[in-house]
Amino acid sequence: MKLSRFVSAAGVALLAAFSVGAQQNQGTVAALEFQTPKTGMTKQYEDGRKQKGEWHKQQKDPQALLVWETLSGDQTGTYIVGRLGQHWSDFDKPAIPDATDLEEFNKVVGNYVQSVVTRYYENLSKVSNPEMGGMPSKFAEVVTFHVREGHAEEFQSAMARIHEAAQKTNWPVHYEWYVLANGGPGGEYVIVLPRAKWADFEDSPNVKPFRKMIEEAFGGAETDSIIKRLDSSIGSSESSIIEFRQDLSYIPAK
């Protein structure tokens, strides 16, 4: 079953993935850069990121700049750097001018970077169940689904029904859904499943399995229909583990 990665991952108690405290009037855009250091220059890259964080502190940047390190998958060794909870209009008037920020990046980090890929994701709040507040969890599994062309509505309707079932049964699971808005192929949906420690990657016996949760809400026939819709709409999926690097991140003082 193409959904098996999600079913396995979601069968544990989760924390909100990319949250650094609740913010009023928070936007839905996650602006992320996937930065891959040059071979043999990881230490220099990380030292540069620490300098960049100190620079943001000196500039009194009001927004957090978060960093994750990819630990598994095809992008192992790539760092994810970005700002969350943005409005598209925020990019018209950034707190630090783009040219100034780029100049500092090139000065302390750029020489150690092999490639940079920028992607923008939209948070799907209507089908997400985040736990508000606090820092990002130490680890997270990121599961990416590539939806077949012409099947987006089918996939989204199944997501909505699953979310409805979770609410109806008070399923003690928190999750964040995103859709790629720009910077890659269409039909890319991402669910982020954080863990506080490695042991949390194991299934929790205290959480009702994914399928049983839906059956409790809607019965067996509707559950079969939802799973069938997902399987027919998903072309492929992949997963990776990321680690939050607070030491490389910039978090403004409260």
Side-chain angles (χ1 to χ4, degrees):
M1 179 182 291
K2 298 184 180 74
L3 190 63
S4 60
R5 291 298 302 171
F6 170 60
V7 174
S8 173
V12 296
L14 308 173
L15 301 175
F18 290 158
S19 297
V20 185
Q23 300 178 23
Q24 290 185 345
N25 300 318
Q26 188 173 22
T28 61
V29 180
L32 304 178
E33 287 189 357
F34 296 77
Q35 302 177 1
T36 303
K38 293 179 180 178
T39 301
M41 291 190 173
T42 298
K43 183 181 184 304
Q44 293 93 324
Y45 171 83
E46 290 194 353
D47 288 344
R49 286 246 57 98
K50 291 175 183 178
Q51 292 181 55
K52 186 71 159 46
E54 284 298 316
W55 179 80
H56 282 272
K57 182 178 181 180
Q58 293 169 9
Q59 304 301 309
K60 295 181 171 56
D61 190 346
Q63 296 181 330
L65 185 64
L66 308 179
V67 181
W68 293 265
E69 180 183 359
T70 307
L71 303 182
S72 70
D74 292 345
Q75 299 301 315
T76 297
T78 292
Y79 293 75
I80 305 169
V81 183
R83 300 184 188 273
L84 310 176
Q86 302 289 289
H87 298 275
W88 287 108
S89 58
D90 293 337
F91 304 120
D92 291 323
K93 297 180 180 179
I96 298 176
D98 290 337
T100 303
D101 187 79
L102 180 60
E103 181 181 3
E104 184 66 18
F105 172 84
N106 288 333
K107 178 181 176 181
V108 301
V109 181
N111 289 335
Y112 313 119
V113 176
Q114 180 66 41
S115 65
V116 176
V117 177
T118 302
R119 294 190 176 102
Y120 295 91
Y121 292 86
E122 286 271 8
N123 177 263
L124 301 177
S125 59
K126 291 183 179 180
V127 291
S128 294
N129 183 32
E131 182 172 287
M132 304 305 295
M135 298 292 290
S137 61
K138 182 173 177 57
F139 301 107
E141 182 172 9
V142 180
V143 184
T144 302
F145 297 98
H146 304 283
V147 175
R148 299 179 190 277
E149 188 172 355
H151 289 264
E153 290 187 8
E154 184 180 4
F155 181 78
Q156 292 171 5
S157 68
M159 290 167 57
R161 287 295 276 170
I162 292 169
H163 180 62
E164 183 181 348
Q167 291 184 312
K168 185 175 181 179
T169 60
N170 294 316
W171 204 36
V173 173
H174 298 274
Y175 46 89
E176 290 271 9
W177 276 105
Y178 293 84
V179 61
L180 181 64
N182 194 278
E188 181 176 306
Y189 293 79
V190 178
I191 188 170
V192 184
L193 310 169
R195 276 86 165 156
K197 55 187 181 299
W198 283 106
D200 291 340
F201 282 83
E202 297 180 5
D203 291 345
S204 171
N206 299 320
V207 178
K208 186 167 294 186
F210 174 74
R211 183 183 179 92
K212 288 188 177 297
M213 178 273 292
I214 303 177
E215 288 179 344
E216 180 181 321
F218 302 132
E222 175 65 7
T223 299
D224 289 340
S225 174
I226 292 170
I227 299 300
K228 183 177 180 180
R229 270 182 283 164
L230 283 171
D231 281 351
S232 63
S233 61
I234 297 171
S236 64
S237 65
E238 58 192 49
S239 67
S240 62
I241 295 172
I242 59 175
E243 179 181 7
F244 178 55
R245 293 296 303 270
Q246 185 173 351
D247 59 322
L248 306 181
S249 302
Y250 164 71
I251 312 276
K254 294 182 179 180

